[in-house]
């Protein structure tokens, strides 16, 4: 492909985990490494696109030429996405967003008590960021989601695509330990509303990212063209 395949496209990508504070020293999070989202940002930039990477806390450097916005929680991630989404042609939700956060963050360290053997923390649902973008009524970008499933891949893909109003969904089979979370490799199957459109065998995430960005640039329209 020519280097300028993605020239003129504005791409917004979320990556990494979110971190939901419980008190000043404790939090809820997950072990997303951010590798897939960062590889996608790098591939999109290498194809000439203008890339904004909205990232939860990860141990990775921003790819060259990519604007990186650092966030911590899902609510912060949603606000950052809202800041950049209006002019975006493409949105790719790669982040492993925590499904829940504490209803209230304790301003002081939570203490254990002598009397009680249990502690209850009330969790509330986080906003679904990719669904919020998918359901935009104006200035909606081409919207891509990810999903990690272990079984019934096709059924879940179709259901999630519809529920979140996505244009494309990329499935990782996480029943295979050699791929997915924290791994350097991935193997994915891609669906749109008509069904499966691609399958990429186990390969390094940067290679998978290039194939995915080719597919996405071919399907997405530029807003100002
Ligand atoms: O529903 P599930 O978490 O399996 O969906 C995964 C997809 O949804 C990913 O693209 C992920 O980035 C996105 N997501 C999101 N906000 C959430 C939960 C998931 O953007 N609160």
């Amino acid at each position: 492909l020519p280097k300028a395949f993605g020239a003129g496209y504005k791409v917004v990508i979320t990556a990494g985990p979110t971190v939901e504070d419980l008190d000043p020293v404790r939090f809820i999070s997950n072990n997303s490494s951010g590798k897939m989202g960062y590889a996608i940002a790098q591939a999109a930039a290498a194809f000439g696109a203008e890339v904004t990477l909205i990232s939860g806390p990860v141990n990775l450097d921003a790819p060259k030429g990519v604007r990186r916005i650092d966030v911590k929680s899902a609510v912060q991630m949603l606000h950052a996405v809202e800041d950049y989404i209006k002019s975006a042609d493409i949105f790719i939700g790669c982040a492993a967003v925590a499904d829940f956060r504490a209803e209230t963050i304790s301003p002081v360290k939570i203490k254990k008590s002598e009397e009680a053997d249990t502690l209850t923390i009330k969790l509330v649902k986080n906003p679904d960021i990719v669904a919020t973008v998918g359901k935009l009524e104006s200035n909606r970008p081409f919207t891509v989601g990810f999903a990690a499933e272990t079984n019934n891949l096709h059924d879940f893909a179709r259901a999630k695509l519809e529920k979140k109003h996505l244009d494309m969904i990329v499935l990782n089979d996480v029943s295979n330990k050699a791929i997915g979370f924290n791994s350097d490799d991935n193997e994915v199957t891609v669906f749109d509303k008509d069904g499966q459109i691609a399958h990429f065998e186990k390969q390094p995430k940067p290679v998978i990212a290039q194939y995915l960005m080719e597919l996405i640039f071919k399907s997405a329209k530029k807003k100002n063209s």
Side-chain angles (χ1 to χ4, degrees):
L1 273 183
K3 192 182 176 304
F5 200 68
Y9 282 97
K10 291 186 178 161
V11 184
V12 174
I13 301 165
T14 63
T18 67
V19 172
E20 313 295 336
D21 284 340
L22 300 177
D23 73 11
V25 297
R26 303 187 182 95
F27 55 82
I28 297 173
S29 190
N30 60 69
N31 59 14
S32 166
S33 65
K35 284 175 190 162
M36 194 65 234
Y38 275 60
I40 286 178
Q42 170 138 39
F47 280 129
E50 184 186 319
V51 181
T52 303
L53 177 60
I54 298 171
S55 177
V58 295
N59 283 313
L60 297 170
D61 292 325
K64 240 177 88 197
V66 167
R67 176 206 280 137
R68 169 171 161 181
I69 311 292
D70 286 309
V71 297
K72 196 170 163 190
S73 68
V75 169
Q76 288 169 2
M77 184 173 275
L78 177 63
H79 289 154
V81 167
E82 285 169 342
D83 285 344
Y84 291 96
I85 206 64
K86 282 183 191 74
S87 62
D89 304 298
I90 297 169
F91 176 75
I92 306 172
C94 270
V97 182
D99 290 326
F100 295 93
R101 67 177 183 276
E103 185 176 46
T104 52
I105 300 173
S106 172
V108 295
K109 194 177 163 196
I110 298 167
K111 299 281 182 226
K112 42 181 187 281
S113 90
E114 294 301 325
E115 302 84 52
D117 285 336
T118 62
L119 169 71
T120 303
I121 295 172
K122 187 168 182 186
L123 302 179
V124 294
K125 247 192 192 161
N126 266 329
D128 191 312
I129 296 165
V130 80
T132 303
V133 174
K135 290 174 187 173
L136 284 176
E137 300 208 335
S138 63
N139 284 316
R140 181 185 176 283
F142 187 86
T143 305
V144 183
F146 274 70
E149 305 290 351
T150 55
N151 58 317
N152 294 338
L153 302 190
H154 290 66
D155 294 346
F156 279 120
R158 189 172 299 263
K160 213 160 269 190
L161 194 83
E162 266 173 38
K163 190 167 152 244
K164 301 193 184 212
H165 294 217
L166 307 177
D167 297 297
M168 198 181 273
I169 190 160
V170 182
L171 254 89
N172 307 312
D173 182 350
V174 290
S175 63
N176 182 345
K177 287 255 163 50
I179 57 174
F181 264 38
N182 236 316
S183 156
D184 289 327
D185 292 336
N186 207 354
E187 175 173 343
V188 303
T189 310
V190 187
F191 300 81
D192 69 9
K193 61 182 183 321
D194 299 321
Q196 180 173 330
I197 56 168
H199 177 82
F200 302 123
E201 293 291 331
K202 180 171 177 282
Q203 282 166 101
K205 284 177 175 172
V207 178
I208 299 277
Q210 275 187 32
Y211 289 141
L212 288 175
M213 282 318 306
E214 284 183 31
L215 263 185
I216 293 167
F217 284 133
K218 275 181 195 153
S219 307
K221 302 270 176 303
K222 281 177 223 172
K223 276 177 182 162
N224 55 2
S225 66

